[in-house]
Amino acid sequence: MSNYINEVLEKVSKTNAGEPEFNQAVKEVLSTLEPVVNAHEETYRKEALLERLCEPERIIVFRVPWVDDNGQVQVNRGFRVQFNGVIGPYKGGLRFHPSVNQSIMKFLAFEQCFKNSLTGLPMGGAKGGSDFDPKGKSDNEIMRFCQSFMTELYRHIGHNLDVPAGDIGVGAREVGYMFGQYRRIRNQYEAGVLTGKGLSYGGSLARPEATGFGLIYFMREMLKENNSSLDGKTVIISGSGNVATYAAVKATEYGAKVVAMSDSNGCIYDKNGIDIKAIKQIKEVERKRIKEYKNIHPEAEYFENNGEYQAIWNIKADIALPCATQNDITLEAAKKLVENGVFAIGEGANMPTTNEAIAYLLENKILLAPAKAANAGGVATSGLEMCQNSMRLSWTFEEVNSKLDAIMTNIFKSCKEAAAQYGLGNNYVAGANLAGFIKIEQAMRAQGII
Ligand code: NDP
């Protein structure tokens, strides 16, 4: 790796000590930028371009007090990381999960910059959330928490400033409560301040489906380029939330058979093909554990997680789609996937594969669709939601879906062309980073030292 990149990585690890996920994300990106960095090293050094790229423009951390159903006051921590607004208003989801901390927020916001750049839409990178755990909370508790969260966040966002959306633990219900509180405080109807809204108040058709569908459109293009397709393939999908379920729906439409899905406790294996309606009923409507699937389909098998990686990665398949959380595919899991004959992996979740696992998979010629590109359909459709809000118009499902398909096809093309330009073959991981970086780099240099 170039000396300059190594120096920056060292600086980043010193200034961000104790933030493993953030350091991992920075290393993953910078280690692939060498061809461009080498060509401009002198300028980049002088302008501290990579140092600026790795330093968030702003981090907001705040207290979120709320009252539970027993009248007890609870306190959580809220975050918004506005990482880089050079190509458009900050944009990125909100995550409510007990694991949320500054490192996870920063890695997600950093990744978001490149992802948003790849969509071709004018959106900067941000991410936010809280260590609040929505599991087991009543509807009223969720509402009170969302209202308290927005009571602080509202002063840092706006349709031309920063536009949050959902992520783990934040779906249409939470976005609705937050939008209501924002509108009440601001006393104006600013539809484009949040995306992932309900259809009755400014949401976009196809937004719920977008990340999962987009992942499969990207996979379709990647497989086509490599003389393959989804048709007749077996697929395993980690997670059973928004991204996982819609990826399962679209993969099935393309003729694949989804044989396993998971949640944070374990996975369900159904050799006849997963009944996606049953998964949606259990996880989205009843908000229960995935093992309940056996009550509907007793012939299915359930495997509890008890090893170094999620049990789902032990199941044989052609294609694996990690759609749960970060660092889901460890090196050990990657070895198991290769041993089991998986030939393509599509990252629906953000940073689901460790850096060691990425290296191993690429060495073993596995086709790897990187998250920044492959899961960009969600934010791209959020961009389309903002567009409809600005025009005060709504497009049909078909219009949004066909725009999403075109965007994903184009993102794949950008990754492929960037990889080819730098002689990297079908290393789409590097291709995505390079293509995403080039646009940000141009905008940063044009806008001076800021
Ligand atoms: P959801 O909250 O809808 O679903 C998350 C799923 O992942 C659940 O099945 C959950 O299981 C599982 N999960 C969460 N944490 C863990 C864990 N530590 N170990 C194992 N399983 C876990 O979230 P989304 O589907 O929206 O998000 C999934 C991933 O996709 C995230 O990485 C997110 O950042 C990424 N993403 C989401 C986008 C979107 O539009 N929603 C856009 C782009 C990326 P359980 O029910 O047990 O908690």
Side-chain angles (χ1 to χ4, degrees), residues 93 95-97 99 107-108 112 115 127 133 135 165-171 207-208 210-212 238-245 262-266 283 287-290 305 310 322-326 328 347-352 371 374-379 382:
R95 176 177 292 191
F96 293 168
H97 194 272
S99 63
F107 112 66
L108 288 163
Q112 195 80 42
K115 183 189 311 202
K127 201 82 188 190
D133 186 358
K135 278 202 192 91
D167 191 78
I168 293 179
V170 179
R207 175 61 187 92
T211 311
S238 71
S240 44
N242 172 270
V243 180
T245 38
S262 69
D263 67 12
S264 52
N265 293 100
K283 297 298 296 182
R287 297 181 191 270
K288 288 189 174 155
R289 311 314 302 156
I290 204 166
N305 291 334
Q310 286 205 66
C323 296
T325 192
Q326 63 273 0
D328 191 357
E347 297 184 333
N350 286 307
M351 204 170 76
N375 74 21
V379 74
S382 279

Coordinates of all heavy atoms in Angstrom, one line a residue, residues 93 95-97 99 107-108 112 115 127 133 135 165-171 207-208 210-212 238-245 262-266 283 287-290 305 310 322-326 328 347-352 371 374-379 382, ligand 1:
G93 N -29.7 6.7 7.2 CA -30.7 6.2 8.1 C -30.4 6.4 9.6 O -29.4 6.9 10.0
R95 N -30.6 4.1 13.2 CA -30.6 2.8 13.8 C -30.9 2.8 15.2 O -30.2 3.5 16.0 CB -29.2 2.1 13.5 CG -29.1 0.7 14.1 CD -27.8 0.1 13.8 NE -27.6 -0.2 12.4 CZ -26.6 -1.0 11.9 NH1 -25.7 -1.5 12.7 NH2 -26.6 -1.2 10.6
F96 N -31.9 2.0 15.6 CA -32.2 1.9 17.1 C -31.8 0.4 17.4 O -32.5 -0.5 17.1 CB -33.7 2.1 17.4 CG -34.2 3.5 17.2 CD1 -35.5 3.8 17.2 CD2 -33.3 4.6 17.0 CE1 -36.0 5.1 17.0 CE2 -33.7 5.9 16.9 CZ -35.1 6.2 16.8
H97 N -30.8 0.3 18.2 CA -30.3 -1.1 18.5 C -29.4 -0.9 19.7 O -28.6 0.0 19.8 CB -29.6 -1.7 17.4 CG -29.4 -3.2 17.5 ND1 -28.2 -3.7 18.2 CD2 -30.1 -4.3 17.2 CE1 -28.3 -5.1 18.2 NE2 -29.5 -5.4 17.6
S99 N -26.7 -2.1 20.5 CA -25.2 -2.1 20.2 C -24.7 -0.8 19.7 O -23.5 -0.6 19.5 CB -24.9 -3.2 19.1 OG -25.6 -2.8 17.9
F107 N -18.8 4.5 11.3 CA -18.6 3.6 10.2 C -19.7 3.6 9.2 O -19.5 3.7 8.0 CB -18.2 2.1 10.7 CG -19.3 1.1 10.3 CD1 -19.5 0.7 9.0 CD2 -20.0 0.5 11.3 CE1 -20.5 -0.3 8.7 CE2 -21.0 -0.5 11.0 CZ -21.2 -0.9 9.7
L108 N -20.9 3.6 9.7 CA -22.1 3.7 8.8 C -22.2 5.0 8.0 O -22.4 5.0 6.8 CB -23.4 3.5 9.6 CG -23.6 2.0 10.2 CD1 -24.6 2.0 11.3 CD2 -24.0 1.1 9.0
Q112 N -21.8 5.5 4.0 CA -22.9 6.1 3.3 C -22.4 7.2 2.3 O -23.1 7.4 1.3 CB -23.8 6.8 4.4 CG -25.2 7.2 3.9 CD -26.1 6.0 3.9 OE1 -26.2 5.2 4.8 NE2 -26.9 5.9 2.8
K115 N -21.6 5.3 -0.9 CA -22.9 4.7 -1.4 C -23.7 5.8 -2.1 O -24.2 5.6 -3.2 CB -23.6 4.1 -0.2 CG -24.9 3.4 -0.6 CD -25.7 3.0 0.6 CE -24.8 2.3 1.7 NZ -25.6 1.5 2.6
K127 N -25.4 9.3 9.2 CA -26.0 8.2 9.9 C -26.3 8.6 11.3 O -25.7 9.5 11.8 CB -25.1 7.0 9.9 CG -25.9 5.7 10.0 CD -26.5 5.2 8.7 CE -27.4 4.0 9.0 NZ -27.8 3.3 7.7
D133 N -33.3 0.0 22.7 CA -33.7 -1.3 22.2 C -35.2 -1.4 22.0 O -36.0 -1.5 23.0 CB -33.2 -2.4 23.2 CG -33.5 -3.8 22.6 OD1 -34.0 -4.0 21.5 OD2 -33.1 -4.8 23.3
K135 N -37.0 -3.8 21.1 CA -37.6 -5.2 21.3 C -38.3 -5.2 22.7 O -37.8 -4.7 23.7 CB -36.5 -6.2 21.4 CG -36.0 -6.7 20.1 CD -35.4 -8.1 20.2 CE -34.7 -8.4 18.8 NZ -33.3 -8.0 18.8
A165 N -33.6 8.5 7.6 CA -34.5 7.5 7.1 C -34.4 6.4 8.1 O -33.9 6.5 9.2 CB -34.1 7.0 5.7
G166 N -34.9 5.2 7.8 CA -34.9 4.0 8.7 C -33.6 3.2 8.5 O -32.7 3.5 7.6
D167 N -33.4 2.3 9.4 CA -32.3 1.3 9.4 C -32.8 0.2 10.4 O -34.0 0.1 10.7 CB -31.0 1.9 9.8 CG -29.8 1.0 9.5 OD1 -29.4 0.9 8.3 OD2 -29.3 0.4 10.4
I168 N -31.8 -0.5 10.9 CA -32.2 -1.6 11.9 C -33.1 -0.9 13.0 O -32.7 0.1 13.6 CB -31.0 -2.2 12.5 CG1 -30.2 -3.0 11.4 CG2 -31.3 -3.1 13.7 CD1 -29.0 -3.7 11.9
G169 N -34.2 -1.5 13.3 CA -35.1 -1.1 14.4 C -35.9 0.2 14.1 O -36.6 0.6 14.9
V170 N -35.7 0.7 12.9 CA -36.5 1.9 12.5 C -37.2 1.6 11.2 O -36.5 1.6 10.2 CB -35.6 3.2 12.4 CG1 -36.4 4.4 12.0 CG2 -34.9 3.5 13.8
G171 N -38.5 1.5 11.3 CA -39.3 1.2 10.1 C -40.4 2.3 10.0 O -40.2 3.4 10.6
R207 N -40.5 2.2 -1.8 CA -39.4 2.4 -0.8 C -39.2 1.3 0.1 O -38.1 0.9 0.4 CB -39.6 3.8 0.0 CG -38.6 4.0 1.0 CD -37.2 4.1 0.5 NE -36.1 4.2 1.4 CZ -35.4 3.2 1.9 NH1 -35.7 1.9 1.6 NH2 -34.4 3.4 2.8
P208 N -40.3 0.7 0.7 CA -40.0 -0.5 1.6 C -39.3 -1.6 0.9 O -38.4 -2.3 1.5 CB -41.4 -0.9 2.0 CG -42.3 0.3 1.8 CD -41.7 1.0 0.7
A210 N -37.3 -1.3 -1.7 CA -36.1 -0.9 -2.5 C -34.8 -1.5 -2.2 O -34.0 -1.8 -3.1 CB -36.0 0.7 -2.4
T211 N -34.4 -1.6 -0.9 CA -33.1 -2.1 -0.6 C -32.9 -3.6 -1.1 O -32.0 -4.0 -1.7 CB -32.7 -1.9 0.9 OG1 -33.0 -0.6 1.2 CG2 -31.2 -2.2 1.1
G212 N -33.9 -4.4 -0.7 CA -33.9 -5.8 -1.0 C -34.0 -6.0 -2.6 O -33.3 -6.8 -3.1
S238 N -29.2 -14.1 5.6 CA -29.2 -13.8 7.0 C -30.0 -12.6 7.2 O -30.1 -11.6 6.4 CB -27.8 -13.5 7.5 OG -27.2 -12.3 7.1
G239 N -30.7 -12.6 8.4 CA -31.7 -11.5 8.7 C -33.1 -11.9 8.2 O -33.2 -12.8 7.4
S240 N -34.1 -11.2 8.8 CA -35.4 -11.5 8.4 C -36.2 -10.2 8.5 O -37.4 -10.2 8.8 CB -36.1 -12.6 9.2 OG -35.8 -12.4 10.6
G241 N -35.5 -9.1 8.4 CA -36.1 -7.7 8.5 C -36.4 -7.2 7.1 O -36.7 -7.9 6.1
N242 N -36.4 -5.9 7.0 CA -36.8 -5.2 5.8 C -36.0 -5.7 4.6 O -36.5 -6.1 3.5 CB -36.7 -3.7 6.0 CG -36.9 -2.9 4.7 OD1 -36.0 -2.7 3.9 ND2 -38.2 -2.6 4.4
V243 N -34.7 -5.6 4.7 CA -33.8 -5.9 3.5 C -33.9 -7.4 3.1 O -34.1 -7.7 2.0 CB -32.4 -5.5 3.8 CG1 -31.5 -5.8 2.6 CG2 -32.3 -4.0 4.2
A244 N -33.8 -8.2 4.1 CA -33.8 -9.7 3.9 C -35.1 -10.1 3.2 O -35.1 -10.9 2.3 CB -33.6 -10.4 5.2
T245 N -36.3 -9.7 3.7 CA -37.5 -10.2 3.2 C -37.7 -9.8 1.7 O -38.2 -10.6 0.9 CB -38.8 -9.8 4.0 OG1 -38.6 -8.5 4.5 CG2 -39.0 -10.7 5.2
S262 N -32.7 -16.0 8.8 CA -32.3 -16.0 10.2 C -32.8 -14.8 11.0 O -33.2 -13.8 10.4 CB -30.8 -16.1 10.3 OG -30.2 -14.9 9.9
D263 N -32.6 -14.8 12.3 CA -32.7 -13.6 13.1 C -31.5 -13.7 14.1 O -30.6 -14.5 13.9 CB -34.0 -13.3 13.7 CG -34.4 -14.3 14.8 OD1 -33.6 -15.1 15.2 OD2 -35.6 -14.3 15.2
S264 N -31.5 -12.8 15.1 CA -30.3 -12.8 15.9 C -30.1 -14.0 16.8 O -29.1 -14.3 17.4 CB -30.2 -11.5 16.7 OG -31.4 -11.3 17.4
N265 N -31.2 -14.9 16.8 CA -31.1 -16.1 17.7 C -30.6 -17.3 16.9 O -30.0 -18.2 17.4 CB -32.4 -16.4 18.3 CG -32.7 -15.3 19.4 OD1 -33.5 -14.5 19.1 ND2 -32.1 -15.4 20.5
G266 N -31.1 -17.4 15.6 CA -30.8 -18.6 14.9 C -31.4 -18.6 13.5 O -31.9 -17.5 13.1
K283 N -42.2 -11.8 11.8 CA -41.2 -10.8 12.2 C -41.7 -9.4 12.1 O -41.4 -8.5 12.9 CB -39.9 -10.9 11.3 CG -39.2 -12.2 11.4 CD -38.6 -12.5 12.8 CE -37.6 -11.5 13.2 NZ -37.0 -11.8 14.6
R287 N -43.8 -9.5 15.5 CA -42.5 -9.1 16.1 C -42.0 -10.2 17.0 O -41.7 -9.9 18.2 CB -42.6 -7.7 16.8 CG -43.0 -6.6 15.8 CD -43.0 -5.2 16.5 NE -43.6 -4.2 15.5 CZ -42.9 -3.5 14.7 NH1 -41.6 -3.6 14.7 NH2 -43.5 -2.6 13.9
K288 N -42.1 -11.4 16.5 CA -41.6 -12.6 17.3 C -40.3 -13.1 16.8 O -39.7 -12.6 15.9 CB -42.7 -13.6 17.3 CG -43.9 -13.3 18.1 CD -44.8 -14.5 18.2 CE -46.0 -14.2 19.1 NZ -47.2 -15.0 18.8
R289 N -39.9 -14.3 17.3 CA -38.6 -14.9 16.9 C -38.8 -15.8 15.7 O -39.9 -16.4 15.5 CB -38.0 -15.7 18.1 CG -37.9 -15.0 19.4 CD -37.4 -13.6 19.3 NE -36.0 -13.5 18.7 CZ -35.5 -12.4 18.1 NH1 -36.3 -11.3 18.0 NH2 -34.3 -12.4 17.6
I290 N -37.8 -15.9 14.9 CA -38.0 -16.7 13.6 C -38.3 -18.2 13.9 O -38.8 -18.8 13.0 CB -36.7 -16.5 12.7 CG1 -37.1 -16.7 11.3 CG2 -35.6 -17.4 13.1 CD1 -36.1 -16.3 10.2
N305 N -28.1 -20.2 17.0 CA -26.7 -19.7 16.9 C -25.9 -20.2 18.1 O -26.3 -19.8 19.2 CB -26.6 -18.2 16.8 CG -27.2 -17.7 15.5 OD1 -27.2 -18.3 14.5 ND2 -27.6 -16.4 15.6
Q310 N -22.9 -17.0 12.6 CA -24.3 -17.4 12.6 C -24.5 -18.8 12.0 O -23.9 -19.1 10.9 CB -25.1 -16.4 11.8 CG -25.3 -15.1 12.5 CD -26.6 -14.4 11.9 OE1 -27.7 -14.9 12.1 NE2 -26.4 -13.3 11.2
P322 N -25.9 -11.7 3.0 CA -26.0 -11.3 4.4 C -26.8 -10.0 4.4 O -26.4 -8.9 3.9 CB -24.5 -11.0 4.7 CG -23.8 -10.8 3.3 CD -24.6 -11.6 2.3
C323 N -27.9 -10.0 5.1 CA -28.8 -8.9 5.2 C -29.2 -8.6 6.6 O -30.3 -8.1 6.9 CB -30.1 -9.2 4.4 SG -29.8 -9.4 2.6
A324 N -28.3 -8.8 7.6 CA -28.6 -8.6 9.0 C -27.8 -7.4 9.6 O -28.4 -6.4 9.7 CB -28.4 -9.9 9.8
T325 N -26.5 -7.7 9.8 CA -25.8 -6.6 10.5 C -24.3 -6.7 10.1 O -23.9 -7.6 9.3 CB -26.0 -6.8 12.0 OG1 -25.5 -5.6 12.7 CG2 -25.3 -8.0 12.6
Q326 N -23.5 -5.9 10.7 CA -22.1 -5.8 10.3 C -21.3 -7.0 10.9 O -21.7 -7.6 11.9 CB -21.4 -4.5 10.8 CG -21.3 -4.3 12.3 CD -22.6 -3.6 12.8 OE1 -23.5 -3.3 12.1 NE2 -22.6 -3.4 14.1
D328 N -20.9 -10.1 10.0 CA -21.7 -11.3 10.1 C -20.9 -12.4 9.4 O -20.9 -13.6 10.0 CB -23.0 -11.0 9.3 CG -24.1 -12.0 9.4 OD1 -23.9 -13.0 10.1 OD2 -25.2 -11.7 8.8
E347 N -24.0 -8.3 -0.6 CA -24.1 -7.7 0.7 C -25.3 -6.8 0.8 O -25.3 -5.7 0.3 CB -22.9 -6.9 1.1 CG -21.6 -7.8 1.1 CD -20.4 -7.1 1.6 OE1 -20.3 -5.8 1.3 OE2 -19.5 -7.7 2.1
G348 N -26.4 -7.2 1.5 CA -27.5 -6.4 1.7 C -27.3 -5.5 3.0 O -27.7 -4.3 3.0
A349 N -26.7 -6.0 4.0 CA -26.4 -5.3 5.2 C -25.1 -4.4 4.9 O -24.4 -4.6 3.9 CB -26.1 -6.2 6.3
N350 N -24.9 -3.5 5.8 CA -23.7 -2.7 5.7 C -22.5 -3.3 6.4 O -22.6 -3.8 7.6 CB -23.9 -1.3 6.4 CG -24.8 -0.4 5.5 OD1 -24.6 -0.2 4.4 ND2 -25.9 0.0 6.1
M351 N -21.4 -3.4 5.7 CA -20.1 -4.1 6.2 C -20.4 -5.4 6.8 O -19.9 -5.7 7.9 CB -19.4 -3.1 7.1 CG -17.9 -3.3 7.2 SD -17.1 -2.0 8.2 CE -17.5 -2.4 9.9
P352 N -21.1 -6.3 6.1 CA -21.4 -7.6 6.8 C -20.2 -8.6 6.8 O -20.3 -9.6 7.4 CB -22.6 -8.2 5.9 CG -22.3 -7.6 4.6 CD -21.8 -6.2 4.8
A371 N -21.5 -4.0 -0.2 CA -22.7 -3.3 0.3 C -22.9 -1.9 -0.2 O -24.0 -1.5 -0.6 CB -22.5 -3.2 1.8
A374 N -24.3 -2.6 -3.7 CA -25.4 -3.5 -3.8 C -26.6 -3.1 -3.0 O -27.7 -3.5 -3.3 CB -24.9 -4.9 -3.5
N375 N -26.4 -2.4 -1.8 CA -27.6 -2.1 -1.0 C -28.0 -0.6 -1.2 O -28.8 -0.1 -0.4 CB -27.4 -2.5 0.5 CG -26.5 -1.6 1.3 OD1 -26.2 -0.5 0.9 ND2 -26.0 -2.1 2.4
A376 N -27.4 0.0 -2.2 CA -27.7 1.5 -2.4 C -29.1 1.7 -2.9 O -29.5 2.9 -3.0 CB -26.7 2.0 -3.4
G377 N -29.8 0.7 -3.2 CA -31.2 0.9 -3.7 C -32.1 1.6 -2.7 O -33.1 2.3 -3.1
G378 N -31.9 1.4 -1.4 CA -32.7 2.0 -0.4 C -32.5 3.5 -0.4 O -33.5 4.2 -0.5
V379 N -31.3 3.9 -0.3 CA -31.1 5.4 -0.3 C -31.4 6.0 -1.6 O -31.9 7.1 -1.7 CB -29.6 5.7 0.2 CG1 -28.6 5.4 -0.8 CG2 -29.6 7.2 0.6
S382 N -34.9 6.6 -1.5 CA -35.2 7.7 -0.6 C -34.9 9.0 -1.4 O -35.7 10.0 -1.2 CB -34.2 7.6 0.6 OG -34.7 6.7 1.5
Ligands
NDP1 P1 -34.4 -4.6 10.3 O1 -34.5 -4.1 11.7 O2 -35.7 -4.6 9.5 O3 -34.0 -6.2 10.4 C1 -32.7 -6.5 10.9 C2 -32.6 -8.0 10.8 O4 -31.2 -8.4 11.1 C3 -33.5 -8.7 11.8 O5 -33.8 -10.0 11.3 C4 -32.5 -8.9 13.0 O6 -32.9 -10.0 13.9 C5 -31.2 -9.2 12.3 N1 -30.1 -8.7 13.2 C6 -29.9 -7.5 13.7 N2 -28.8 -7.5 14.5 C7 -28.3 -8.7 14.4 C8 -27.2 -9.4 15.0 N3 -26.4 -8.7 15.8 N4 -27.0 -10.6 14.7 C9 -27.8 -11.3 13.9 N5 -28.9 -10.8 13.4 C10 -29.1 -9.5 13.6 O7 -33.2 -3.9 9.5 P2 -33.0 -3.7 8.0 O8 -33.5 -4.9 7.2 O9 -33.5 -2.4 7.6 O10 -31.4 -3.6 7.9 C11 -30.6 -4.8 7.8 C12 -29.2 -4.4 7.3 O11 -29.3 -3.7 6.0 C13 -28.5 -3.4 8.2 O12 -27.1 -3.6 8.1 C14 -28.8 -2.0 7.6 O13 -27.8 -1.1 7.9 C15 -28.7 -2.4 6.1 N6 -29.4 -1.5 5.2 C16 -30.7 -1.2 5.4 C17 -31.4 -0.3 4.5 C18 -32.8 -0.1 4.5 O14 -33.4 0.6 3.6 N7 -33.6 -0.6 5.5 C19 -30.6 0.3 3.4 C20 -29.2 -0.1 3.3 C21 -28.7 -1.0 4.2 P3 -33.7 -9.7 15.2 O15 -35.1 -9.7 14.8 O16 -33.4 -10.9 16.1 O17 -33.2 -8.4 15.8

